[in-house]
Amino acid sequence: MIKKLEIIFVVLFLHGVLLRFISLEWSNELLIVSALMLFVIYVFFGFSIFTNVSPKSIFSGGFKGVPGWQIGVSIWSGIVMCAAVAGLLFRMLLLTGADEMLILAVIGVSATTILVSAVMLLKKQYLDPFYARFFKRMIPALVLTLIFVGISSSDLYKIYTKDNPEEAERIRQKWKEEKPK
């Protein structure tokens, strides 16, 4: 159930990104709602998603047999995924702090991915389903955050206001004046 909800809200988030780029109404609301739901899923159910333990069985000891390092990495990965979603949301909505959130997300996602890759190589457990679940979430998050680190807010604003270039230029001039030297 949680995995299906995760897929649904990831698709809704990506649709919100697409709608934002073509400047359709309600794209901001779709981005915010889907990102908030992804926050909830990754913070509260990140352990369940990455270790394939059902949320109901967590409280009845269903996680017995899961190595301790996988539990820790799963919880940490959920938090890092929240940072990645927050960075993407901040960048798409042109909020302050987007650069910092994206840098934090890139560092967290890449460090966690490198750590888990090293453990996988050392233990020679290439076919363990934990790694498949981990990499199919973390690699796309890393790629998206790296892409959006390279896109500045002013470039996004230019894309958003392509139908009203005078307004875009006025706001860009205001941003230039406000930047500390």
Side-chain angles (χ1 to χ4, degrees):
M1 175 73 172
I2 295 297
K3 290 180 183 179
K4 289 179 184 177
L5 283 175
E6 178 194 19
I7 292 169
I8 289 168
F9 286 112
V10 165
V11 168
L12 285 175
F13 186 80
L14 294 175
H15 276 74
V17 169
L18 178 66
L19 292 176
R20 184 75 170 116
F21 276 123
I22 57 177
S23 300
L24 289 180
E25 290 188 30
W26 296 96
S27 60
N28 290 343
E29 289 79 2
L30 182 60
L31 279 169
I32 292 169
V33 168
S34 58
L36 286 175
M37 292 309 296
L38 285 172
F39 293 152
V40 168
I41 288 171
Y42 288 131
V43 166
F44 295 115
F45 301 107
F47 169 75
S48 174
I49 289 172
F50 286 104
T51 59
N52 206 28
V53 174
S54 73
K56 289 180 184 176
S57 66
I58 289 173
F59 300 108
S60 62
F63 57 88
K64 291 179 182 170
V66 177
W69 75 271
Q70 283 186 5
I71 293 171
V73 165
S74 298
I75 294 169
W76 174 252
S77 298
I79 294 168
V80 168
M81 290 294 285
C82 283
V85 172
L88 294 172
L89 179 67
F90 277 35
R91 175 66 81 212
M92 290 305 300
L93 297 179
L94 304 174
L95 298 174
T96 9
D99 292 329
E100 291 81 5
M101 286 300 279
L102 284 170
I103 299 279
L104 180 70
V106 166
I107 291 170
V109 170
S110 58
T112 307
T113 304
I114 290 169
L115 173 77
V116 170
S117 299
V119 169
M120 180 186 73
L121 292 173
L122 290 174
K123 291 189 172 197
K124 297 182 180 174
Q125 296 176 334
Y126 309 114
L127 299 178
D128 188 349
F130 170 77
Y131 299 110
R133 287 187 297 273
F134 179 83
F135 289 124
K136 81 176 183 184
R137 286 172 176 83
M138 296 300 263
I139 299 298
L142 181 60
V143 169
L144 275 174
T145 52
L146 283 172
I147 288 171
F148 277 91
V149 162
I151 301 173
S152 71
S153 294
S154 61
D155 290 339
L156 277 179
Y157 189 75
K158 190 184 297 184
I159 292 170
Y160 295 162
T161 59
K162 63 186 173 291
D163 298 333
N164 192 355
E166 296 85 22
E167 174 70 12
E169 188 58 37
R170 185 182 67 77
I171 296 295
R172 264 196 302 284
Q173 291 300 326
K174 186 177 178 182
W175 281 350
K176 285 180 184 176
E177 293 171 6
E178 290 178 359
K179 276 193 176 178
K181 295 181 181 183

